[in-house]
């Protein structure tokens, strides 16, 4: 447990990359300051491999589930889905200031919010452990039931400032 209530692929990849950056700091500094020299074979003082590495993390969902994050009351993007005839509406509440995006596929919708300003801690304070979620964008994917196929070009987004709700409306084909 690294201090997160639920691990996501993004968190796992970011943690692994942060570990690599921390581990290889002395080796990278040496290489940057001595471009014509080989890295010493002193693995204690110069750990890490200076090479290209790819990191991929995949979350495998339960094949019986229909909505990712179902029942997550602490999600920074809260949604309700409604259907009337051939219209699907997604009602959404999220952070007050930020760039909102909605990417629709035939059977899923991804909502993403990038804060207008990322969190900046005071200079004299330190982050405790690895919990710094305010410096990240937020996203949530909603897998729709198999009998709903969206017309992705019919998307209409509106906002009701009196209640802070975003409405995303799609035609169902």
């Amino acid at each position: 447990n690294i201090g997160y209530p639920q691990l996501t692929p993004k968190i796992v990849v970011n943690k692994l990359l942060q570990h690599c950056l921390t581990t290889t700091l002395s080796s990278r500094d040496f290489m940057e300051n001595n471009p014509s020299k080989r890295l010493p074979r002193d693995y204690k003082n110069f750990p890490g491999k200076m090479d290209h590495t790819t990191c991929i993390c995949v979350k495998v969902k339960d094949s019986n589930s229909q909505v990712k994050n179902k029942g997550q009351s602490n999600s920074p993007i809260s949604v309700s889905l409604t259907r009337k005839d051939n219209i699907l509406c997604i009602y959404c509440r999220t952070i007050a200031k930020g760039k909102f995006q909605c990417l629709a596929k035939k059977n899923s919708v991804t909502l993403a919010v990038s804060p207008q300003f990322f969190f900046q801690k005071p200079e004299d304070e330190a982050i405790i452990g690895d919990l710094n979620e305010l410096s990240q964008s937020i996203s949530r994917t909603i897998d729709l039931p198999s009998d709903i196929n969206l017309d992705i070009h019919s998307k209409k987004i509106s906002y009701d400032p009196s209640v802070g709700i975003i409405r995303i409306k799609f035609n169902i084909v």
Side-chain angles (χ1 to χ4, degrees):
N1 184 350
I2 57 173
Y4 294 99
Q6 182 177 12
L7 289 178
T8 64
K10 182 177 181 177
I11 290 171
V12 171
V13 168
N14 285 342
K15 286 294 298 164
L16 184 56
L17 292 176
Q18 187 60 49
H19 170 74
C20 291
L21 288 171
T22 302
T23 300
T24 61
L25 180 62
S26 62
S27 299
R28 288 182 292 111
D29 283 346
F30 179 88
M31 297 296 286
E32 289 171 7
N33 294 320
N34 303 287
S36 61
K37 294 183 180 179
R38 292 181 65 95
L39 185 66
R41 292 187 179 257
D42 178 356
Y43 296 115
K44 184 175 181 180
N45 291 319
F46 299 100
K49 184 174 192 271
M50 299 294 107
D51 197 350
H52 174 82
T53 302
T54 301
C55 180
I56 298 174
C57 182
V58 178
K59 180 177 181 178
V60 178
K61 72 174 188 172
D62 178 359
S63 62
N64 295 324
S65 69
Q66 291 187 355
V67 178
K68 291 180 186 176
N69 301 329
K70 187 174 182 179
Q72 245 189 22
S73 61
N74 62 347
S75 173
I77 301 177
S78 301
V79 298
S80 290
L81 300 176
T82 65
R83 178 180 185 169
K84 181 179 178 184
D85 300 322
N86 287 329
I87 303 292
L88 174 81
C89 286
I90 301 171
Y91 295 91
C92 169
R93 180 177 286 134
T94 188
I95 62 174
K97 293 189 181 260
K99 179 182 176 186
F100 180 81
Q101 294 178 304
C102 174
L103 174 64
K105 295 183 181 177
K106 197 173 181 179
N107 298 101
S108 69
V109 177
T110 299
L111 307 175
V113 180
S114 299
Q116 185 175 6
F117 301 102
F118 285 98
F119 172 69
Q120 295 292 321
K121 67 173 184 57
E123 291 269 335
D124 60 340
E125 294 181 14
I127 297 293
I128 298 173
D130 301 313
L131 197 57
N132 189 14
E133 295 171 352
L134 294 176
S135 295
Q136 300 175 9
S137 295
I138 306 162
S139 68
R140 180 171 183 181
T141 299
I142 303 158
D143 286 333
L144 302 172
S146 59
D147 65 325
I148 295 181
N149 293 313
L150 300 179
D151 172 0
I152 61 171
H153 302 292
S154 67
K155 174 176 65 176
K156 292 182 181 159
I157 300 176
S158 59
Y159 177 68
D160 183 346
S162 66
V163 291
I165 298 287
I166 300 166
R167 182 178 78 168
I168 308 139
K169 186 172 150 181
F170 291 97
N171 293 333
I172 300 172
V173 293

